[in-house]
Amino acid sequence: MPTSFYNTLHHRLEDFVPMHPGPDPADAIKGSQIGIYSCGPTVYDYAHIGNFRAFLFADVLRRYLELRGAHVTHVMNMTDVGHMTDDQLADGAGRDKLEVAVEKMKENKKQGKAQIENPNDPFAVADFFAQAFLQDARLLGLGVVADYDAASTDESKERIIPRPTRHIPEFISMIETLIARGHAYIGADGVVYYDIRSFPAYGKLSGNSLEQLSHGAGGRTNEQAAKKHPADFFLWKPDRHHLMRWPSPWGDGYPGWHIECSVMSMRALGQSFDLHTGGEDNIHPHHECEIAQSEGATGKPFVKYWMHTRHLMVNGEKMSKSKGNFFTIRDLTARGFDPVVIRWGLISTRYREPLNFTIQGLYEAAAAITTLRDLAEKLTAAVAAVDEAAGEGDFSSPGTTSAPLHELVLEPADQQMLTEFNLAMDDDLNVSGALAALFTWANPLHKQKKLAYRQARSALQSLKKVDHVLGVVFVDLQALPQDRQRQVEDLVQKRTAARQQKDFAAGDMIRKQLLSLGVEVKDTPAGTTWRSRLAPEKLSQ
RNA sequence: GGCCGGAUGCCCGAGUGGACUAAGGGAGCGGAUUGCAAAUCCGCGAUUCGUGGGUUCGAAUCCCACUCCGGCCUCCA
């Protein structure tokens, strides 16, 4: 069963074979070294769920390859160079986006809701939103950010999540190379342009020909006397008045918005690497231009597999601020949805299908995750009971058990589930199909009253494996704030007291109160327990 | 105008020629359990896959036409 992905470069499903395969000829992914570069966020504002769909798709890809035994080096940029807002004059007219962000910050400061010390400093503004992004990404469990946090030096962090403003000299040097190799020229206006006619493959990724591009009916490839071809794009633009600017051989100015990914990806992953991901809007022009730049500069094939995710819709419409269907991660967590729910909502639809995001969908996600977490709890308890008796210690933390997890021989049912899960994932990351395999497996376990130790241990191990990809079961939920926790415990006690006196009306009232605090109680023969809900109380009509 | 996707039950969403009397999740309904809940258990629900043709022994799956929806074509994940 070959692993296949849809490669945008060739517009078809292709078997995935890593450039640096593992030792086993029957399974090239196991033990392979795989480089992935993902187009990351721009840090002019808070990232929204649409952005995160793209980042999470890359995360699922990366985690699945890890599950298959690959050593993945995952790189994601964070664009902090201000690019332009105006699409009518594509070659860098209009206002700088960071300039807009700076204005907004200044306005906030005036209104007393200052977010940073000096809102005039574009670097500080970019840094503010970069930190906000990292926070959101941690909540959603992006592996690349975990790598970043675990990295011990600034340089290693910079390889994992590079920031363009820290690599300007490298951009300049690549532009010089492109000029030297005849792929770039200085226009009559002093701007350095890429000469797309020097790179005949330009347009391959999006299925465009140069002919079509020059006659684009969108009318957006504006004729400019300074350029040789209307679709030539700029690499460096001298502009002494630009907010962020750096010295260069072509005058003080700023880089084009494609060069950063060419430079930073090759810097971390080498001149040729396996996978490059992004949103579908990146295909043209961004990735098209990246290929032209990178291959123009090195003369080598740049990326083997290009993967792009479809855009996200909200309630059947394009997400936009004016329609009121624009969500950030903090919007949703503030409403009481746990980040795991958001993660599930964004990954459970296959990346190449358009995703219609709804609040209803988040409730469904919460229900599905709760089922799996309940099962995990049951399995863990069954295993812990025996381990404790045998003095084997805590199974849930690897390394403390006498039998390391990876040496376990799995039960046939578990093995079958993993096989089916992988089969679906091998089919261009069919997450929905993979989840079906998981639930089909989970249901009988749920129903089973008593679990044998062997069975529970094997099942737990299997669930952990698939959760390496899903990242929603064996992760901590958002903790209640201290004061809220005390309030909850107090209420639970009051309820227990009321119930002991058979005052069920009072008890039920308190249960409702707890529900509105995001907490549900469970009465068992052993007593009352409570836990946080993954989704807020549904407003009843 | 060019290029590219999509349409499956109440909702989300697999399935791309025969094991489909269509996976899985959610919501719903009836019953068991419960002080009532939650969780769990048992049971129920698409003779049908946007519409119309065609190919085939056989189609959700292939072909043609049509309708509708969405994306990209130098802001965008």
Side-chain angles (χ1 to χ4, degrees):
Chain A
M1 50 158 201
T3 301
S4 51
F5 299 139
Y6 186 89
N7 188 355
T8 311
L9 190 59
H10 303 127
H11 312 277
R12 62 166 191 241
L13 214 56
E14 289 180 355
D15 288 357
F16 176 72
V17 182
M19 292 170 55
H20 306 287
D24 180 359
D27 182 359
I29 294 175
K30 193 173 180 185
S32 61
Q33 301 284 338
I34 296 176
I36 306 178
Y37 185 88
S38 299
C39 277
T42 49
V43 290
Y44 320 129
D45 205 343
Y46 296 110
H48 55 70
I49 52 172
N51 302 128
F52 272 105
R53 178 187 200 193
F55 309 145
L56 282 168
F57 137 65
D59 189 58
V60 167
L61 169 67
R62 167 242 165 94
R63 284 165 172 254
Y64 178 60
L65 292 171
E66 283 176 342
L67 176 67
R68 292 287 307 280
H71 304 286
V72 175
T73 307
H74 191 185
V75 178
M76 181 178 70
N77 65 307
M78 212 156 40
T79 296
D80 58 357
V81 173
H83 295 300
M84 297 300 121
T85 56
D86 198 321
D87 66 336
Q88 292 306 312
L89 295 160
D91 290 312
R95 294 185 67 203
D96 185 297
K97 284 182 176 170
L98 254 172
E99 199 179 317
V100 176
V102 163
E103 290 295 319
K104 225 158 64 181
M105 278 288 191
K106 279 201 265 191
E107 191 53 37
N108 281 347
K109 181 131 191 168
K110 247 189 263 170
Q111 293 172 8
K113 43 180 181 178
Q115 291 162 305
I116 57 171
E117 287 288 312
N118 179 9
N120 278 312
D121 177 2
F123 290 90
V125 171
D127 209 53
F128 173 83
F129 287 114
Q131 293 309 321
F133 170 76
L134 292 173
Q135 281 168 13
D136 291 348
R138 282 183 197 109
L139 290 179
L140 294 184
L142 285 196
V144 69
V145 175
D147 291 347
Y148 173 87
D149 287 338
S152 51
T153 65
D154 286 350
E155 168 54 23
S156 53
K157 281 183 192 294
E158 191 55 33
R159 295 183 96 79
I160 297 164
I161 303 189
R163 307 255 305 250
T165 51
R166 298 172 185 170
H167 303 280
I168 303 293
E170 296 158 69
F171 299 176
I172 289 170
S173 121
M174 181 180 280
I175 296 169
E176 283 174 328
T177 303
L178 287 170
I179 295 174
R181 290 176 64 108
H183 287 296
Y185 60 93
I186 300 165
D189 51 2
V191 175
V192 184
Y193 292 103
Y194 192 96
D195 181 358
I196 61 163
R197 285 179 308 182
S198 74
F199 190 78
Y202 190 86
K204 218 163 66 179
L205 192 67
S206 61
N208 279 311
S209 65
L210 287 189
E211 184 66 10
Q212 283 164 342
L213 285 168
S214 42
H215 301 295
R220 286 161 140 178
T221 47
N222 55 319
E223 296 289 342
Q224 274 182 258
K227 297 199 289 188
K228 291 184 183 171
H229 186 282
D232 285 354
F233 56 95
F234 89 93
L235 299 169
W236 187 270
K237 182 160 183 163
D239 180 352
R240 279 180 300 132
H241 304 291
H242 200 71
L243 192 61
M244 275 184 172
R245 59 181 184 276
W246 296 265
S248 86
W250 315 285
D252 287 8
Y254 58 97
W257 67 286
H258 311 298
I259 196 82
E260 61 183 65
C261 288
S262 283
V263 169
M264 297 189 308
S265 62
M266 292 198 286
R267 177 177 190 275
L269 299 171
Q271 296 185 332
S272 299
F273 56 93
D274 290 296
L275 287 153
H276 196 311
T277 74
E280 58 175 331
D281 56 290
N282 281 154
I283 297 170
H284 186 89
H286 184 52
H287 290 163
E288 204 95 80
C289 295
E290 258 185 82
I291 294 171
Q293 289 167 165
S294 304
E295 299 192 354
T298 67
K300 292 177 184 157
F302 179 41
V303 170
K304 201 169 173 193
Y305 303 93
W306 289 87
M307 295 174 74
H308 296 92
T309 184
R310 297 298 307 269
H311 272 172
L312 167 82
M313 312 282 290
V314 175
N315 297 325
E317 291 181 306
K318 192 166 176 167
M319 181 167 53
S320 72
K321 284 185 177 167
S322 60
K323 282 178 182 150
N325 61 0
F326 187 96
F327 296 115
T328 62
I329 302 307
R330 34 203 80 211
D331 291 336
L332 295 169
T333 53
R335 283 176 71 159
F337 290 102
D338 193 276
V340 294
V341 171
I342 305 169
R343 181 177 166 95
W344 183 284
L346 293 174
I347 67 172
S348 55
T349 296
R350 206 213 295 238
Y351 78 98
R352 223 151 50 77
E353 304 288 334
L355 165 64
N356 186 21
F357 184 91
T358 59
I359 292 296
Q360 178 59 31
L362 288 183
Y363 282 107
E364 293 176 12
I369 296 170
T370 302
T371 301
L372 294 177
R373 292 185 72 105
D374 285 350
L375 177 62
E377 204 173 293
K378 180 178 168 185
L379 295 174
T380 306
V383 168
V386 174
D387 275 352
E388 244 167 64
E392 283 199 27
D394 177 14
F395 177 78
S396 63
S397 39
T400 61
T401 45
S402 52
L405 297 180
H406 55 269
E407 286 179 12
L408 273 179
V409 177
L410 298 177
E411 301 286 307
D414 302 336
Q415 193 53 59
Q416 191 192 334
M417 181 275 283
L418 288 171
T419 301
E420 283 171 11
F421 184 91
N422 285 354
L423 212 58
M425 293 300 282
D426 279 341
D427 178 19
D428 201 24
L429 302 181
N430 183 357
V431 177
S432 314
L435 290 178
L438 176 59
F439 279 100
T440 303
W441 165 84
N443 282 333
L445 282 172
H446 243 301
K447 288 174 190 175
Q448 206 173 318
K449 286 261 181 339
K450 269 194 164 175
L451 290 165
Y453 173 71
R454 263 183 75 96
Q455 189 192 10
R457 205 157 97 134
S458 166
L460 186 60
Q461 165 70 350
S462 308
L463 187 55
K464 281 186 179 175
K465 281 187 182 233
V466 299
D467 195 52
H468 180 78
V469 179
L470 302 176
V472 296
V473 180
F474 299 97
V475 295
D476 291 335
L477 301 180
Q478 288 300 95
L480 287 179
Q482 283 280 311
D483 52 335
R484 173 67 62 92
Q485 175 140 354
R486 232 171 289 130
Q487 185 188 2
V488 165
E489 272 161 9
D490 192 47
L491 283 169
V492 170
Q493 258 179 24
K494 276 187 184 149
R495 175 166 176 275
T496 304
R499 290 179 71 240
Q500 273 163 0
Q501 288 164 26
K502 304 271 182 217
D503 186 355
F504 294 117
D508 290 351
M509 190 93 92
I510 295 173
R511 182 167 57 209
K512 271 190 189 164
Q513 223 177 321
L514 284 164
L515 211 52
S516 69
L517 290 173
V519 165
E520 70 188 10
V521 293
K522 187 160 59 163
D523 299 321
T524 70
T528 299
T529 60
W530 65 271
R531 64 176 175 186
S532 295
R533 289 162 54 88
L534 299 179
E537 188 187 9
K538 250 186 183 172
L539 298 174
S540 50
Q541 273 86 347

